[in-house]
């Protein structure tokens, strides 16, 4: 993550791509051998799936680099090779979600789930798409299905996305529980830490909010938004020394930021 980047942008990155990548190992995508108990290995991968997988690996790289349209072209080539490739449909959905083409994103995620109904990544992505369209009930169902998958390894990011979605829906208590669970699973995630602290601040739970924002601001991922939130919390708690230290950091590191301008104006409620 880039230091000093906006939490809005970091949040979108985490929910859209950086931690929502498809599984690309040959073994993970290979058809199972005739004996269901036999472990799939590289030799089980068909030539068709191998060609599609190589295209998809290129697509993932381009997607991570922000070359969205090139990534889309590679995904299309992967699906020409193998239309039954669930992970390719999933990435295609992510690409269209990034391009704000919600109908095509939804169609892609649904096709991925037809081919692989219990894929936690696809369920997570579909849930996030539903959240972007304020279809909160559908989002909750998709997130819940992802979270109960025994082999899904992205539970921390899904709890985070679920919490953000619940907050948008006005379900603050549910949002707090989801974000707290995400934090338990991945306490080093600065996006979760910031959003949990911000939610608690808005609910008037200043001491608890202070705990999370101090941990963030004492680490390498502090930015103008987190420092500003810390300043507002310390001000509310009348911790003048802590507030002054945060103001000095904001002034030295982010002098041109929107948050610094708010401090200069005394706009602590914005």
């Amino acid at each position: 993550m880039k230091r000093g980047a906006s939490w809005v942008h970091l949040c979108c990155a985490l929910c859209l791509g950086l931690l929502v990548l498809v599984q690309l190992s040959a073994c993970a995508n290979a058809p199972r051998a005739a004996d269901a108990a036999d472990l799939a290995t590289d030799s089980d991968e068909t030539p068709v799936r191998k060609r599609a997988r190589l295209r998809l690996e290129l697509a993932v790289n381009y997607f991570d680099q922000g070359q969205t349209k090139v990534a889309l072209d590679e995904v299309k080539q992967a699906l020409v090779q193998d239309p039954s490739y669930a992970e390719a449909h999933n990435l295609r959905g992510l690409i269209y979600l990034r391009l704000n083409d919600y109908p095509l994103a939804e169609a892609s995620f649904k096709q991925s789930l037809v081919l692989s109904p219990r894929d936690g990544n696809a369920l997570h992505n579909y849930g996030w798409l539903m959240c972007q369209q304020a279809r909160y009930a559908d989002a909750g169902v998709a997130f819940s299905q992802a979270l109960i998958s025994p082999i899904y390894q992205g539970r921390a990011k899904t709890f985070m996305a679920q919490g953000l979605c619940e907050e948008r829906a006005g379900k603050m208590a549910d949002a707090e529980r989801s974000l707290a669970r995400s934090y338990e699973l991945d306490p080093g995630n600065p996006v979760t830490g910031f959003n949990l602290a911000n939610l608690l601040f808005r609910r008037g739970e200043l001491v608890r909010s202070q705990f999370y924002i101090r941990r963030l601001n004492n680490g390498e991922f502090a930015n103008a938004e987190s420092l500003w939130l810390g300043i507002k919390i310390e001000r509310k708690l009348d911790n003048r020394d802590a507030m002054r230290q945060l103001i000095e950091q904001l002034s030295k590191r982010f002098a041109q930021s929107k948050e610094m301008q708010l401090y200069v104006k005394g706009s602590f409620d914005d």
Side-chain angles (χ1 to χ4, degrees):
M1 293 180 201
K2 186 181 294 183
R3 298 181 190 179
S6 163
W7 291 122
V8 173
H9 295 146
L10 286 177
C11 176
C12 290
L14 284 171
C15 290
L16 267 179
L18 295 181
L19 295 182
V20 195
L21 293 180
V22 293
Q23 301 295 321
L24 291 175
S25 69
C27 295
N29 297 312
R32 300 292 293 190
D35 180 358
D38 192 16
L39 179 66
T41 60
D42 288 354
S43 62
D44 294 310
E45 187 179 39
T46 66
V48 168
R49 176 54 59 88
K50 183 176 181 179
R51 289 194 295 270
R53 176 175 58 80
L54 293 174
R55 284 287 189 179
L56 190 58
E57 288 176 351
L58 288 173
V60 168
N61 289 333
Y62 284 123
F63 183 75
D64 279 346
Q65 294 167 14
Q67 299 184 52
T68 309
K69 291 186 178 180
V70 181
L72 179 59
D73 188 62
E74 292 295 342
V75 167
K76 289 179 178 179
Q77 293 300 316
L79 289 171
V80 167
Q81 295 291 333
D82 187 352
S84 67
Y85 200 176
E87 289 88 343
H89 289 284
N90 182 34
L91 183 57
R92 183 175 181 265
L94 279 175
I95 291 170
Y96 281 124
L97 181 51
R98 180 181 281 179
L99 294 171
N100 295 317
D101 191 328
Y102 291 165
L104 285 177
E106 182 171 352
S108 298
F109 290 140
K110 283 184 173 179
Q111 183 59 29
S112 179
L113 289 168
V114 166
L115 296 166
S116 185
R118 286 184 272 184
D119 186 312
N121 278 317
L123 285 164
H124 170 99
N125 295 336
Y126 182 71
W128 187 245
L129 171 64
M130 296 297 98
C131 186
Q132 302 313 295
Q133 300 176 84
R135 294 162 61 180
Y136 299 123
D138 292 334
V141 170
F143 288 141
S144 296
Q145 290 177 343
L147 290 168
I148 63 174
S149 172
I151 61 172
Y152 180 48
Q153 298 180 357
R155 298 177 76 241
K157 76 168 184 285
T158 296
F159 273 118
M160 179 186 74
Q162 179 174 267
L164 295 173
C165 195
E166 288 164 340
E167 185 175 359
R168 292 184 183 184
K171 298 180 178 180
M172 297 305 181
D174 291 339
E176 181 186 332
R177 281 192 292 269
S178 296
L179 289 170
R181 183 62 179 133
S182 177
Y183 194 87
E184 288 175 10
L185 294 171
D186 185 11
N189 186 322
V191 177
T192 301
F194 175 82
N195 282 286
L196 181 54
N198 193 41
L199 176 62
L200 291 168
F201 174 72
R202 290 168 58 195
R203 299 187 73 190
E205 298 192 43
L206 300 178
V207 175
R208 293 180 63 206
S209 180
Q210 179 194 56
F211 169 79
Y212 292 108
I213 204 63
R214 279 188 171 183
R215 290 193 67 179
L216 176 54
N217 283 331
N218 288 334
E220 62 177 317
F221 294 114
N223 67 8
E225 288 174 273
S226 65
L227 291 170
W228 179 235
L229 178 57
I231 289 167
K232 293 192 291 184
I233 293 169
E234 302 298 352
R235 179 175 178 269
K236 288 275 189 180
L237 292 171
D238 199 27
N239 292 327
R240 296 173 184 266
D241 288 341
M243 180 180 171
R244 184 176 62 253
Q245 291 171 8
L246 292 170
I247 292 169
E248 289 176 358
Q249 286 193 57
L250 183 63
S251 177
K252 289 178 180 178
R253 299 173 57 189
F254 307 104
Q256 304 304 316
S257 66
K258 174 188 69 176
E259 289 74 16
M260 188 64 206
Q261 300 308 310
L262 289 172
Y263 168 71
V264 170
K265 294 176 182 178
S267 302
F268 292 98
D269 295 326
D270 289 350

